[in-house]
């Protein structure tokens, strides 16, 4: 059996005393907790970035909701400017109204009794989850089905974006306004009057003045936006 002095002597003969005393074997440094956290964060960020890349990027922010639709749009809004241009609206009918987590909507139809037989359809769509801006200029779904017709023109100074166009026959116009997640659509139609119908005959009746209709539609759009804007 080897005694402790013999072990000590063997150790000292294998390594010089000054090396054994002055140059100890370096111990393995412990891994700091923050180093583990940083490595995990890098790996997680890489996986998260990969997931974003695969899904197309960060989720889109919800639009700012500045308006609230009403269950009875006809009672809330009478379209006075277009009514004057049409010679007065004799009837108005509230159409389908809907509530959905993604969008609320309401609409109203107005029938005129003037010489031009003008009618109006107003639709309000409140987008609560997605911004309607990127697809705003595409128009409505039936426009994409039936054809675009006349080109849209920008109408500056009305909401965040506004587009207007006249019918190809000059018998009406469309105005669309986007603001605060809401889209306001005005469609003015002039059918004229045929002989035998009440009111002046269609023959010799000029089409409605487009500039006057546009000005009236813009005025009514401002009034509708003010009526539905959240207080």
């Amino acid at each position: 059996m080897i005694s402790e002095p013999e072990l000590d002597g063997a150790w000292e003969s294998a390594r010089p005393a000054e090396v054994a005393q002055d140059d100890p074997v370096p111990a393995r440094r412990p891994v700091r907790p923050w180093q583990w956290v940083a490595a995990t964060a890098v790996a997680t960020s890489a996986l998260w970035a990969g997931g974003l890349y695969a899904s197309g990027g960060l989720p889109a922010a919800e639009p700012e909701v500045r308006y609230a639709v009403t269950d009875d749009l006809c009672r809330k809004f009478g379209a006075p400017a277009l009514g004057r241009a049409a010679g007065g609206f004799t009837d108005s009918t509230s159409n389908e109204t809907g509530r959905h987590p993604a969008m609320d909507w309401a609409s109203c139809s107005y029938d005129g009794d003037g010489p031009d037989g003008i009618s109006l359809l107003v639709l309000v769509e409140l987008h609560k989850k997605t911004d309607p801006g990127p697809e705003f200029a595409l128009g409505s779904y039936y426009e994409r089905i039936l054809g675009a017709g006349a080109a849209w023109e920008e109408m500056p100074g009305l909401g965040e974006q506004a587009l207007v166009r006249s019918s190809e026959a000059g018998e009406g116009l469309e105005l669309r306004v986007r603001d605060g997640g809401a889209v306001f659509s005005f469609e003015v139609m002039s059918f004229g009057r045929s002989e035998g119908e009440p009111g002046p005959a269609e023959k010799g009746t000029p089409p409605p003045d487009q500039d006057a209709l546009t000005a009236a539609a813009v005025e009514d759009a401002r009034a509708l936006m003010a009526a539905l804007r959240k207080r």
Side-chain angles (χ1 to χ4, degrees):
M1 182 174 179
I2 304 174
S3 63
E4 289 185 4
E6 289 176 330
L7 283 174
D8 294 340
W11 174 255
E12 292 175 0
S13 61
R15 292 186 63 202
E18 62 273 15
V19 174
Q21 295 175 0
D22 299 334
D23 188 23
V25 177
R28 183 187 299 273
R29 292 196 307 170
V31 177
R32 305 293 184 188
W34 64 264
Q35 292 176 316
W36 178 84
V37 173
T40 304
V42 170
T44 304
S45 298
L47 292 173
W48 180 72
L52 288 178
Y53 179 82
S55 62
L58 289 169
E62 295 181 359
E64 179 185 359
V65 180
R66 304 174 189 166
Y67 300 90
V69 300
T70 176
D71 292 331
D72 191 349
L73 185 61
C74 295
R75 178 181 296 180
K76 188 79 171 180
F77 175 68
L82 282 167
R84 291 191 298 270
F89 290 127
T90 58
D91 189 28
S92 61
T93 304
S94 289
N95 301 314
E96 189 70 23
T97 300
R99 298 288 188 276
H100 188 273
M103 183 173 71
D104 296 342
W105 65 93
S107 64
C108 181
S109 299
Y110 308 80
D111 294 321
D113 196 32
D116 299 318
I118 292 178
S119 63
L120 168 66
L121 175 64
V122 176
L123 172 65
V124 181
E125 299 170 301
L126 181 60
H127 299 256
K128 298 183 289 185
K129 295 297 183 182
T130 58
D131 180 12
E135 60 190 42
F136 177 71
L138 296 178
S140 61
Y141 71 92
Y142 65 83
E143 179 180 336
R144 294 189 288 276
I145 295 173
L146 302 176
W152 291 99
E153 298 180 8
E154 293 283 345
M155 175 65 68
L158 183 59
E160 295 178 7
Q161 184 181 10
L163 301 172
V164 65
R165 70 177 180 183
S166 301
S167 66
E168 294 179 343
E171 297 177 346
L173 65 83
E174 293 178 76
L175 173 66
R176 304 182 72 240
V177 183
R178 177 178 64 85
D179 189 66
V183 175
F184 306 87
S185 300
F186 290 75
E187 186 172 359
V188 183
M189 296 156 283
S190 175
F191 299 101
R193 295 188 186 276
S194 60
E195 295 183 6
E197 287 185 324
E202 181 185 27
K203 185 177 179 180
T205 301
D209 182 77
Q210 293 295 303
D211 291 338
L213 284 180
T214 301
V218 170
E219 181 179 340
D220 276 346
R222 296 187 191 280
L224 177 59
M225 294 166 67
L228 299 184
R229 193 176 185 93
K230 288 184 176 181
R231 298 296 187 266

